[in-house]
Amino acid sequence: MRYSRRREKTTVLSRKRGEAVEELKINQISKRTNLILELLMGLIALCTALPVVLVIIISFSSEQSIFEKGYSFFPAELSLKGYEFFLKLGDQLVKSYGITIFVTIVGTTISLTVTALFAYVISRQDYLFRKPLTFLMLFTMLFNGGMVPAYMINTQLLHLGDSIWALILPMTINAYYIIVLRTFYRSIPMEIIEAARIDGSSEFNTFVKIVLPLSKPGIATIGLFTMITYWNDWFSGMLYMMDNRKYPVQTLLWSMQNSLEAMKASSANALEYAEMARNAPTESGRMALTVLVILPILLAYPFFQKYFVKGLTIGGVKG
């Protein structure tokens, strides 16, 4: 009897020891896998950040060093002529920045409002017209009229040509963002909305005071995407703006990348412009303007970071 008990104890101890060894091996493999993944993601992040760092370094490089050694992380000579040149432009750069800031703020606000309301309506199972509205929204993702009909509608029917609203209204609704936010709304328990209804809250009051605060990660994520879309939009300015004084900063950058002639119309004195154009720092100047364009977006990311991952995860997995 004692022998059998000892044998059982020995067997149990051996089994536990074997399980501990296997668990230790699994943990070691898991640590190695995590280390490899972390190194891989760090390498990808480094590859993503290096071009931005290179652009910033080139913007502070002199034209002579760029001409002699090309683009380099270690320029032979530093210079601020690229930034000084664009500061001399004065009015045009300030106007373009003002237009871009206005379009980004107003456009993001309008787009978020429409997207949040539309997504909430089609997320409610008890809404009568949920399926027809969802079908119309999905239809626009698969088929669209094309650029020519859109241009004709915006310029001839809506009379948005050469108007700042041409930079805002055509991009107000994005079907993909509506789907993401609708999926986020569905993660909110229906019991909370029903409890608010029992307490006498109206639909709009429930949406504003209950649903929106619970949806901050999703709304912040969509807001960031929308803000970047408006800020980086150069094509609408090229398409709808006839007066280059109404160019947003991205369209101004595109114009200056193609030809310095785009700056001639913004200069009051032709002789002054000719002197500026003759001494214009071409490569460092382009990079300096690029830095001025991307800087606000780089500064905005940290404020949205805590909502970004959660908003993408919930919006992309559930539903």
Side-chain angles (χ1 to χ4, degrees):
M1 184 68 71
R2 289 180 180 177
Y3 176 75
S4 62
R5 288 180 179 177
R6 286 179 182 177
R7 190 172 182 180
E8 289 177 1
K9 289 181 179 180
T10 304
T11 304
V12 172
L13 290 174
S14 300
R15 189 182 302 164
K16 289 183 177 179
R17 194 174 300 164
E19 291 176 354
V21 171
E22 289 180 2
E23 186 177 354
L24 182 61
K25 290 180 179 179
I26 292 173
N27 289 335
Q28 290 177 349
I29 295 173
S30 179
K31 288 181 179 179
R32 291 174 184 173
T33 304
N34 289 337
L35 180 61
I36 293 173
L37 291 175
E38 288 175 0
L39 290 175
L40 180 62
M41 296 305 297
L43 182 62
I44 294 174
L46 183 63
C47 293
T48 304
L50 281 179
V52 179
V53 175
L54 181 61
V55 168
I56 295 173
I57 292 175
I58 294 171
S59 70
F60 287 101
S61 303
S62 65
E63 283 293 302
Q64 187 65 26
S65 64
I66 296 174
F67 178 76
E68 292 177 353
K69 296 186 177 180
Y71 295 164
S72 173
F73 285 98
F74 305 98
E77 183 182 0
L78 297 178
S79 174
L80 294 175
K81 288 186 178 179
Y83 293 95
E84 291 174 357
F85 174 73
F86 288 110
L87 290 177
K88 289 179 182 178
L89 291 178
D91 292 344
Q92 179 60 59
L93 189 60
V94 172
K95 285 180 181 178
S96 296
Y97 247 109
I99 291 171
T100 300
I101 292 172
F102 176 82
V103 168
T104 301
I105 294 175
V106 176
T108 302
T109 303
I110 296 175
S111 180
L112 267 183
T113 302
V114 175
T115 302
L117 292 171
F118 196 110
Y120 178 68
V121 166
I122 64 175
S123 70
R124 292 289 298 269
Q125 299 292 335
D126 54 348
Y127 182 61
L128 181 61
F129 301 105
R130 177 177 61 87
K131 290 185 178 180
L133 289 176
T134 304
F135 172 77
L136 290 175
M137 177 197 65
L138 294 175
F139 187 83
T140 62
M141 295 184 66
L142 302 175
F143 306 98
N144 62 76
M147 186 174 66
V148 174
Y151 179 82
M152 293 176 64
I153 290 173
N154 290 325
T155 56
Q156 298 182 17
L157 182 63
L158 301 178
H159 302 288
L160 296 178
D162 211 27
S163 168
I164 197 170
W165 294 104
L167 307 176
I168 297 175
L169 297 181
M171 298 191 300
T172 299
I173 297 180
N174 186 301
Y176 174 74
Y177 296 162
I178 293 174
I179 291 175
V180 172
L181 203 54
R182 181 200 64 173
T183 307
F184 199 97
Y185 285 150
R186 286 185 175 179
S187 66
I188 299 174
M190 191 64 187
E191 290 78 7
I192 298 177
I193 299 175
E194 292 177 352
R197 183 185 300 170
I198 292 172
D199 289 338
S201 177
S202 63
E203 289 289 347
F204 185 77
N205 189 62
T206 302
F207 173 73
V208 172
K209 294 187 177 180
I210 296 177
V211 177
L212 284 184
L214 294 175
S215 306
K216 281 183 180 179
I219 292 175
T221 303
I222 299 303
L224 179 62
F225 286 158
T226 306
M227 182 178 67
I228 293 173
T229 300
Y230 275 109
W231 184 270
N232 290 333
D233 180 40
W234 62 272
F235 187 72
S236 297
M238 183 192 70
L239 192 63
Y240 296 111
M241 293 300 170
M242 308 303 172
D243 187 356
N244 58 8
R245 290 175 298 179
K246 297 181 180 180
Y247 278 175
V249 71
Q250 293 288 359
T251 308
L252 179 67
L253 173 62
W254 170 83
S255 300
M256 297 173 69
Q257 290 282 12
N258 285 275
S259 174
L260 286 174
E261 290 297 321
M263 292 182 291
K264 184 179 293 186
S266 66
S267 178
N269 191 328
L271 295 176
E272 179 185 354
Y273 166 76
E275 183 66 24
M276 289 173 60
R278 190 178 302 114
N279 301 319
T282 308
E283 296 298 327
S284 62
R286 289 174 178 175
M287 298 305 174
L289 185 56
T290 303
V291 172
L292 293 175
V293 168
I294 66 174
L295 186 61
I297 295 298
L298 292 178
L299 296 177
Y301 263 106
F303 297 99
F304 292 89
Q305 187 177 5
K306 62 179 180 179
Y307 300 115
F308 189 71
V309 176
K310 186 177 179 182
L312 277 182
T313 304
I314 295 179
V317 176
K318 292 194 175 184

